[in-house]
Amino acid sequence: MLTLHVAERSPEAAVLADGASVAAVGPYEDLAAAHPSARVRRWPGILTPGLLNPYGPELLEATYHPDPREADSLGTEPITGERARAIFRADPARLGASARRGVQRMLAHGTVAVAGELRARPVLDALRRAGLAVAQRPPRLPGPPSLSPTPLVLLPALTTGGPARFAIFDVPSRLELVRQGPRTCVATVVAGRLVYRAR
């Protein structure tokens, strides 16, 4: 099924997805006229190729992402350092569930690819199930591990025949995305599937 994604601040960069692949990229009016039967998804802000987070191991193997049911005892924010290591030592099975929650947090920040040498099988399984790409880590990392790394690393432009993997941010421009950060993400698409949508 064809789905046409268009963001109001970047109508010239609409994306026509055919399943897991990009069927076409271009101005919305042209794509809509050429494919009148395509389902249209309209978004605020700008459509981008999505973000690469270079801190895969740090955020998914060395950070514990608490279950909401643990909020009373562990809080809701990611736990790092010795406290995270103690949680994983006490119950190694928690790594898989933590990684799945961490991946969901990444998707909510427009992340469609991660980098770094990931070794833990539960983490690799969580990435595979979500469809996130695993890329090579840049030679110089931008700063401390974060779901909103600075500077942001945008993936290359979408191309016809490439994977339908992108993110939409509710900002007027890429410059404003850099200023406000990826917490402005309203939707993330991976393999043509809407895997995150802001409420």
Side-chain angles (χ1 to χ4, degrees):
M1 180 179 188
L2 294 175
T3 303
L4 181 55
H5 294 264
V6 58
E8 64 182 13
R9 296 299 189 102
S10 59
E12 74 289 346
V15 175
L16 183 70
D18 184 4
S21 300
V22 173
V25 180
Y28 167 72
E29 297 293 342
D30 294 351
L31 296 182
H35 305 277
S37 62
R39 178 177 61 175
V40 177
R41 284 192 181 271
R42 298 179 185 277
W43 304 102
I46 62 172
L47 190 152
T48 76
L51 302 176
L52 166 73
N53 191 307
Y55 297 107
E58 292 84 355
L59 293 175
L60 297 176
E61 293 181 338
T63 298
Y64 182 69
H65 298 272
D67 187 300
R69 294 169 294 185
E70 299 173 311
D72 288 346
S73 57
L74 297 177
T76 58
E77 292 303 305
I79 297 169
T80 59
E82 180 52 40
R83 192 175 176 211
R85 289 191 288 274
I87 291 171
F88 293 137
R89 278 197 304 271
D91 185 359
R94 291 173 106 170
L95 179 60
S98 171
R100 289 191 293 276
R101 291 189 292 269
V103 165
Q104 288 303 311
R105 286 180 182 233
M106 287 182 158
L107 293 172
H109 285 75
T111 297
V112 298
V114 299
E117 189 174 353
L118 294 152
R119 300 170 186 236
R121 176 56 55 190
V123 173
L124 293 168
D125 287 344
L127 289 170
R128 179 180 51 77
R129 286 193 193 103
L132 266 72
V134 178
Q136 192 168 18
R137 180 174 267 186
R140 288 171 50 182
L141 296 179
S146 171
L147 292 166
S148 302
T150 304
L152 298 179
V153 182
L154 274 171
L155 291 178
L158 297 167
T159 58
T160 300
R165 184 188 298 134
F166 50 90
I168 299 100
F169 299 90
D170 191 5
V171 291
S173 65
R174 287 194 178 190
L175 185 63
E176 197 62 21
L177 170 59
V178 170
R179 192 176 76 79
Q180 294 190 37
R183 291 180 186 273
T184 56
C185 182
V186 293
T188 304
V189 173
V190 174
R193 296 178 295 115
L194 185 62
V195 293
Y196 168 75
R197 182 173 189 169
R199 292 176 182 166

